[in-house]
Amino acid sequence: MPSPLSMAGSRPGIGLEHAGQVAFVSDLGIGFTDALAWLAIGSFLLALVLQWRDERDLARGTGALAWVLFGVFWLTMVPYYYGEIQSPLQTILATVALPLCAYVGYLLFQGRASLFVLTKAVALMGVIYLPVETIPMVRTWLIETTAVQTHYGMELFGHSPGINEGANGYQSRFDFDPDETVTGRTTYIILACTGIGSMAIFGGLVASVSAPLKRKLTAFALAIGVIWFLNLVRNVFIGLASPWGWFQQDWLVSLMTTYMGADPNRVSYLVAHNYIAQSLSVVALVGITYLVVKIVPEVLAPLEEVLYVLTGTEYDLFDALDKSEFRPDGYGTGAAGAETAADADASSEDPADPPKQ
């Protein structure tokens, strides 16, 4: 994937990037990070198949390896987020991803079987995202459609720059005249600007749990709709803030250029994208999660696992939110050896014990 600092024609352009891929391209034409991502997701899926076949030891080992590979994948993104995107938030998250993922793998290998629900969620996220990332026709349609929709949004605010080819080869670049704008720069849409990453997160989360199909489809449709709208607002905001220098105040320019090595003309873009938009994105994700939980409380199960990994403390979100009746069969908070329903049934030795429903 081209750098967001690449030139589009003779005019400077900036990609609205927040979760792209590093352009480490091998002789075979496949990005190293893409290959690593596929390997991790493939390992996640293999672990789930092995668990389904009741090969528990092998499933735990494969799952643990998958988590480590997933962490390494994010580690390879650190130079990109730090050097090219210049995003402190994404740099920090990518850096801590490896130890966190390695810890998840360790817990899973040690017997915390409840982590398989989180493993399934991440695997399905990858299944949704990676084909879109790697199928040219789908990728082109998403990028160019998002560019057109963003342009419509700009027109609502009185700006109609037109669209031409961006540095990534798609009709996705907003053709502002550099002689008429404040910074002389513009932006172009890439895959990350389509919101597909966030959509994949909630799609995988909802698909990973057992719940009535109608509720799952409702939650998925709601999440996709909200993400689409907020992503469109985000693109319009950044797409206008960059060329028109909404944040080119002298004190900001001095701060960003002196301490962060930023190009003076990129300050408005960096503030709009890396600080305002990304911070609000975190708030939006929390809000969307709340809406999804209201419809499909079963997703609290993988969220409990996330909290345990981050804090080392067991949380019972089902009880806290008065949703205990939605707890998956056999799933419960507990020590690192928490059991799935199948594990719990297999460990029952008294024939008088009633079967779990």
Side-chain angles (χ1 to χ4, degrees):
M1 178 175 291
S3 160
L5 301 181
S6 300
M7 304 296 288
S10 60
R11 302 176 184 177
I14 306 171
L16 292 175
E17 179 119 9
H18 66 85
Q21 302 295 321
V22 185
F24 295 145
V25 182
S26 69
D27 294 336
L28 296 177
I30 182 172
F32 172 71
T33 52
D34 280 343
L36 192 57
W38 274 113
L39 182 60
I41 297 304
S43 299
F44 280 130
L45 293 173
L46 178 58
L48 295 174
V49 170
L50 292 171
Q51 184 207 25
W52 175 70
R53 290 171 56 89
D54 206 27
E55 299 181 38
R56 301 178 191 179
D57 290 343
L58 191 55
R60 288 198 298 267
T62 304
L65 175 62
W67 278 104
V68 172
L69 290 172
F70 195 52
V72 173
F73 158 73
W74 286 111
L75 185 64
T76 65
M77 300 297 293
V78 171
Y80 175 72
Y81 290 139
Y82 178 78
E84 295 189 37
I85 298 299
Q86 297 181 356
S87 169
L89 176 62
Q90 289 173 279
T91 301
I92 292 172
L93 292 177
T95 301
V96 301
L98 178 56
L100 284 176
C101 288
Y103 181 53
V104 175
Y106 168 78
L107 292 174
L108 185 62
F109 186 75
Q110 291 296 310
R112 189 178 177 90
S114 54
L115 279 169
F116 272 112
V117 68
L118 183 58
T119 299
K120 183 178 180 181
V122 173
L124 293 176
M125 292 173 195
V127 168
I128 295 172
Y129 181 81
L130 288 180
V132 177
E133 164 77 22
T134 54
I135 298 175
M137 181 175 67
V138 178
R139 183 185 179 94
T140 300
W141 179 83
L142 280 174
I143 290 173
E144 296 187 350
T145 299
T146 302
V148 170
Q149 293 173 347
T150 302
H151 192 272
Y152 285 153
M154 290 179 175
E155 289 180 330
L156 295 177
F157 292 91
H159 299 276
S160 185
I163 299 175
N164 62 8
E165 184 175 309
N168 54 3
Y170 302 103
Q171 292 295 316
S172 64
R173 179 180 177 277
F174 305 112
D175 194 22
F176 285 100
D177 188 337
D179 295 327
E180 296 181 357
T181 57
V182 173
T183 64
R185 304 185 72 89
T186 188
T187 57
Y188 59 91
I189 299 294
I190 61 174
L191 183 63
C193 309
T194 65
I196 185 62
S198 298
M199 294 177 187
I201 289 174
F202 286 99
L205 191 64
V206 171
S208 68
V209 299
S210 296
L213 181 60
K214 182 178 180 179
R215 284 201 285 113
K216 293 173 72 170
L217 291 177
T218 300
F220 181 71
L222 176 63
I224 296 304
V226 173
I227 291 170
W228 172 82
F229 175 75
L230 294 179
N231 187 67
L232 179 60
V233 172
R234 168 190 174 277
N235 287 343
V236 172
F237 168 64
I238 299 172
L240 293 177
S242 178
W244 294 108
W246 289 356
F247 304 101
Q248 290 294 129
Q249 287 83 2
D250 290 342
W251 69 273
L252 271 177
V253 173
S254 176
L255 176 68
M256 298 285 287
T257 55
T258 302
Y259 298 102
M260 301 181 185
D263 182 327
N265 289 331
R266 293 192 74 218
V267 168
S268 189
Y269 167 79
L270 292 173
V271 172
H273 180 277
N274 291 358
Y275 295 93
I276 297 177
Q278 286 186 356
S279 298
L280 292 177
S281 293
V282 174
V283 177
L285 288 175
V286 173
I288 297 170
T289 301
Y290 173 79
L291 295 176
V292 169
V293 167
K294 294 286 287 184
I295 301 171
V296 186
E298 290 85 351
V299 301
L300 291 172
L303 294 180
E304 284 183 351
E305 294 305 311
V306 171
L307 287 176
Y308 178 79
V309 171
L310 293 176
T311 67
T313 302
E314 300 285 359
Y315 291 91
D316 193 335
L317 297 180
F318 289 94
D319 281 349
L321 298 178
D322 196 24
K323 300 291 185 181
S324 297
E325 68 272 22
F326 295 101
R327 182 182 295 282
D329 290 347
Y331 183 92
T333 57
E339 298 176 324
T340 61
D343 294 329
D345 288 341
S347 66
S348 297
E349 297 180 354
D350 185 349
D353 287 345
K356 289 180 172 57
Q357 300 296 323

